[in-house]
Amino acid sequence: MEVGFTHHQAAHCENGVASNLLKHNGFDISEPMIFGIGSGLFYVYIPFLKVNHAPAISYRPMPGTIFNKAAKRLGFKVKRIKFSNPKAAQEALDENLKNNIPTGLQVGVYGLTYFPDEYRFHFNAHNCVVYGKTETDYLVSDPVMENVTTLTHKDMEKVRFAKGAFAPKGQMYFPTSIPNKADLPGAIIKGIKETCRDMLAPVPIVGVKGIRTVANMIRKWPEKKGVKVANHYLAQIVRMQEEIGTGGGGFRYIFAAFLQESSVILHNPKLRELSLEMTKIGDRWRDFAVEASRVYKNRSSKTDVYNLLADEMLKIADLEEDFFKKLKKAIA
């Protein structure tokens, strides 16, 4: 079984799957548009939830949220199904493939045998598309890969029923209703408004306030937790930022591309200016990641490095607060 499906590489898995599934169904939309309309830019620090034995830090909303919000704002429907047992999950996926329906899946990264070993860790919010099946393998379009790939039937079951935080429970999803015409300008404005609201939220673990909270925690970690644990926590920040779904720096670049596209659609040159500003903020996040990685790999020659990292993160928070205030005003 094989569905005629065109693979497009993307910067982030969920946006890429959404964009690819919609393109397959005749609705041509870019990855940055899906990301921006679905309010994909986010920041949250969850100290009580541990991922890889470190506090959870996310640069994105919950898995599935971006696609669901984009669907609601653009007027198309997405069907999502979770399963209690692997047999039912496999039968449902196979039935979709028989009916020529390429299907999005939420999967665990650790069991993805086509990933390089250094990228395989316990994270259960990855997304890919299955578009066919042979006697031994499923045909996979993973948008973060350059080309299509495969997973054995056994490995597919493992990744669909990976255990731990955000366990996918065999989840599959696909668009079921596509509108002839969508209100793109209205959807863009709704997406931007929610992102501004999230990033400027008056909550100490969310948005720019969440970034400041983490910055202040970085100062305390070496003394409170010891250098070994502090470095493990720093490594987790960088991993969540740069490896898991592109995170901090990468998401800023996607959002900048969204604003650039939106400036044309909304005839709003201010959004183009802000797009350039967001790209520079993305660069600051990347520089922060490089500096943090030197620290946890014991390659930094600087003194008082934890305070320096905390200071840089606070500067980024200030830049983002100023940015989102201007963005909110630009579409008011």
Side-chain angles (χ1 to χ4, degrees):
M1 289 183 288
E2 184 174 348
V3 180
F5 184 78
T6 305
H7 172 82
H8 299 274
Q9 192 173 14
H12 174 245
C13 65
E14 189 177 338
N15 309 322
V17 165
S19 174
N20 283 346
L21 287 177
L22 289 173
K23 281 176 180 170
H24 178 80
N25 284 278
F27 191 97
D28 193 8
I29 189 166
S30 71
E31 177 191 6
M33 268 290 142
I34 285 286
F35 182 70
I37 289 170
S39 302
L41 195 75
F42 192 61
Y43 187 91
V44 64
Y45 167 63
I46 315 171
F48 50 84
L49 176 65
K50 295 290 190 284
V51 177
N52 296 314
H53 310 289
I57 292 167
S58 183
Y59 293 79
R60 54 167 288 176
M62 287 288 286
T65 308
I66 297 171
F67 199 4
N68 286 348
K69 284 181 179 172
K72 189 177 177 184
R73 288 165 186 164
L74 290 166
F76 58 85
K77 289 186 169 60
V78 178
K79 186 171 185 179
R80 287 183 181 274
I81 316 166
K82 288 185 180 180
F83 301 88
S84 54
N85 72 81
K87 188 171 184 289
Q90 182 178 334
E91 285 171 358
L93 177 58
D94 291 352
E95 186 64 24
N96 263 16
L97 296 175
K98 273 184 200 166
N99 292 321
N100 294 318
I101 302 170
T103 303
L105 300 180
Q106 183 184 327
V107 296
V109 168
Y110 190 74
L112 294 177
T113 50
Y114 56 78
F115 269 14
D117 286 348
E118 61 269 26
Y119 286 107
R120 290 174 62 190
F121 42 86
H122 295 287
F123 177 71
N124 293 329
H126 189 66
N127 292 265
C128 61
V129 174
V130 171
Y131 66 94
K133 183 183 181 182
T134 69
E135 284 183 16
T136 54
D137 299 316
Y138 279 98
L139 310 182
V140 178
S141 164
D142 190 318
V144 303
M145 303 294 285
E146 191 175 347
N147 299 302
V148 292
T149 185
T150 60
L151 266 184
T152 66
H153 298 173
K154 190 177 178 183
D155 286 335
M156 181 61 78
E157 184 179 308
K158 274 186 198 170
V159 298
R160 292 185 74 189
F161 285 88
K163 306 289 186 222
F166 308 117
K169 297 178 182 172
Q171 182 173 175
M172 63 183 234
Y173 57 92
F174 48 96
T176 56
S177 168
I178 307 288
N180 292 326
K181 196 178 178 189
D183 176 15
L184 206 52
I188 288 167
I189 288 167
K190 282 178 185 170
I192 291 174
K193 280 184 174 175
E194 183 171 338
T195 300
C196 292
R197 195 163 60 243
D198 288 343
M199 292 306 292
L200 297 171
V203 184
I205 62 168
V206 173
V208 294
K209 284 188 181 292
I211 297 169
R212 290 193 181 109
T213 297
V214 172
N216 292 323
M217 295 300 296
I218 288 172
R219 293 190 204 282
K220 298 172 187 172
W221 281 340
E223 196 175 322
K224 199 173 174 184
K225 302 285 184 183
V227 170
K228 188 179 177 184
V229 172
N231 284 353
H232 175 66
Y233 285 8
L234 267 187
Q236 173 77 343
I237 289 175
V238 173
R239 176 171 272 181
M240 297 302 283
Q241 182 182 317
E242 299 300 335
E243 293 176 14
I244 297 178
T246 74
F251 273 5
R252 270 73 192 158
Y253 299 138
I254 299 172
F255 194 72
F258 161 68
L259 291 178
Q260 193 170 347
E261 243 185 283
S262 299
S263 73
V264 177
I265 294 164
L266 298 178
H267 308 290
N268 186 338
K270 184 66 183 170
L271 296 184
R272 183 172 173 77
E273 285 174 39
L274 289 168
S275 164
L276 298 172
E277 194 174 316
M278 180 48 86
T279 300
K280 287 176 184 170
I281 292 172
D283 291 342
R284 294 291 287 258
W285 276 111
R286 282 277 151 91
D287 291 344
F288 168 84
V290 169
E291 207 54 57
S293 66
R294 285 191 185 121
V295 174
Y296 67 73
K297 290 175 181 174
N298 297 313
R299 292 176 188 164
S300 179
S301 57
K302 293 179 180 176
T303 54
D304 204 20
V305 282
Y306 297 98
N307 278 323
L308 287 172
L309 286 172
D311 289 344
E312 178 55 24
M313 207 178 223
L314 288 174
K315 282 178 198 162
I316 290 171
D318 290 344
L319 289 170
E320 295 219 344
E321 183 173 15
D322 182 54
F323 171 87
F324 285 108
K325 283 178 177 173
K326 285 190 283 193
L327 180 58
K328 188 178 176 182
K329 200 174 171 184
I331 50 117

